[in-house]
């Protein structure tokens, strides 16, 4: 707990796999940071969970079921804000729906409303609407508290870096083989469109950092 701001990584891996050491340490740290923030007058810890760590946080707080998807989600997709998400400060400037980078085998579904209410947490976003698919839409973002937030998607995904990565001929061939040429074409188009993935990259994490720093500065002045 030596730091003020934490961004927890997006994996890879299963939120259930661990060696019994690092995963236990992560859960212990998560609970310690949560308990720290509950003590009045203490300098708050600001935390952002991404993908894998988001799933682990949902597991830890028992806010929803974490299950394996029927097939991997891979690419860029629309993501829909809830009413709470529409007023979320870290989403300010995003359209609804907005575009995300989403790469995962796992999902958070069947949210436990009582647990969310007891914690004071709110669901901010849900998976894209798929009227032709008879499956529950996964939770894509949660505001856990005033200083702790998490997303199932990857707000750190940089379109320029992703373009270079996925244009590699070997990776391109693998993606087309595994997910189809149309998905590859759509993903590359979204990366080239500044009002889609680029907008999410420029807004979500930068606003989280800006808000956290400003709040920490206010707390420092108050002391």
């Amino acid at each position: 707990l030596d730091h003020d701001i934490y961004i927890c990584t997006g994996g890879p891996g299963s939120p259930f796999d661990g060696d019994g050491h690092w995963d236990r340490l992560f859960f212990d740290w998560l609970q310690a940071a949560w308990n720290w923030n509950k003590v009045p007058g203490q300098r708050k810890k600001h935390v952002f969970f991404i993908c894998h760590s988001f799933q682990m946080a949902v597991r830890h707080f028992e806010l929803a079921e974490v299950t394996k998807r029927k097939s991997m989600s891979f690419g860029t997709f629309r993501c829909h804000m809830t009413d709470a998400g529409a007023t979320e400060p870290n989403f300010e400037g995003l359209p609804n729906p907005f575009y995300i980078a989403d790469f995962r085998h796992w999902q958070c579904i069947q949210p436990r409303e009582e647990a969310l209410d007891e914690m004071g947490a709110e669901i901010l976003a849900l998976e894209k609407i798929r009227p032709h698919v008879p499956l529950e839409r996964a939770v894509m973002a949660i505001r856990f508290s005033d200083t702790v937030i998490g997303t199932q998607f990857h707000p750190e995904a940089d379109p320029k870096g992703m373009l270079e990565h996925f244009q590699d001929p070997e990776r391109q061939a693998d993606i087309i083989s595994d997910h189809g040429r149309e998905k590859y074409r759509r993903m590359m188009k979204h990366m080239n469109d500044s009002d889609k993935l680029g907008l999410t990259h420029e807004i979500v994490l930068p606003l989280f950092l800006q808000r956290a720093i400003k709040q920490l500065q206010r707390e420092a002045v108050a002391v």
Side-chain angles (χ1 to χ4, degrees):
L1 296 178
D2 293 341
H3 303 285
D4 295 316
I5 303 173
Y6 298 83
I7 297 177
C8 301
T9 65
S14 160
F16 291 94
D17 289 344
D19 59 7
H21 179 66
W22 76 264
D23 46 331
R24 189 68 264 160
L25 290 175
F26 178 79
F27 288 133
D28 288 347
W29 165 81
L30 170 54
Q31 190 61 52
W34 186 263
N35 292 342
W36 175 281
N37 282 346
K38 290 169 67 176
V39 177
Q42 291 200 134
R43 188 179 175 92
K44 301 294 186 184
K45 306 296 179 185
H46 296 257
V47 183
F48 198 113
F49 302 110
I50 298 172
C51 193
H52 181 267
S53 57
F54 172 76
Q55 295 160 1
M56 293 188 75
V58 169
R59 273 191 61 209
H60 178 73
F61 291 119
E62 299 182 343
L63 298 180
E65 292 293 325
V66 182
T67 64
K68 199 162 189 177
R69 286 173 52 88
K70 284 185 173 292
S71 61
M72 182 184 183
S73 179
F74 186 98
T76 55
F77 304 95
R78 288 186 299 276
C79 182
H80 295 259
M81 298 179 197
T82 62
D83 289 344
T87 60
E88 165 57 41
N90 289 336
F91 290 174
E92 186 177 350
L94 288 176
N96 191 15
F98 61 102
Y99 281 81
I100 60 169
D102 190 32
F103 305 96
R104 59 192 167 91
H105 288 285
W106 297 83
Q107 61 184 351
C108 299
I109 57 173
Q110 298 177 28
R112 299 187 176 111
E113 298 297 339
E114 287 187 10
L116 288 160
D117 291 344
E118 182 179 346
M119 190 176 181
E122 291 185 303
I123 295 172
L124 302 177
L126 295 172
E127 197 170 19
K128 66 177 181 177
I129 297 172
R130 301 172 296 172
H132 59 290
V133 178
L135 297 173
E136 182 180 353
R137 295 164 67 200
V139 175
M140 298 304 289
I142 292 177
R143 163 70 62 187
F144 294 82
S145 73
D146 60 338
T147 60
V148 180
I149 187 173
T151 62
Q152 175 63 81
F153 60 88
H154 289 267
E156 83 285 8
D158 170 32
K160 182 178 179 181
M162 289 178 68
L163 274 171
E164 293 176 0
H165 180 77
F166 290 126
Q167 282 175 337
D168 175 83
E170 187 173 338
R171 292 195 184 96
Q172 178 181 350
D174 287 343
I175 294 168
I176 291 173
S177 174
D178 292 341
H179 303 283
R181 186 173 297 278
E182 175 56 28
K183 179 165 285 190
Y184 179 81
R185 184 199 65 77
R186 185 172 64 247
M187 183 172 68
M188 300 302 282
K189 179 177 182 292
H190 291 167
M191 289 180 201
N192 276 302
D193 196 334
S194 61
D195 70 351
K196 289 186 171 60
L197 200 61
L199 194 63
T200 304
H201 175 258
E202 292 173 4
I203 286 177
V204 179
L205 278 177
L207 283 181
F208 165 74
L209 290 169
Q210 291 169 19
R211 294 183 69 248
I213 291 168
K214 286 180 180 178
Q215 184 168 333
L216 289 164
Q217 288 172 334
R218 288 194 296 269
E219 291 175 358
V221 170
V223 172

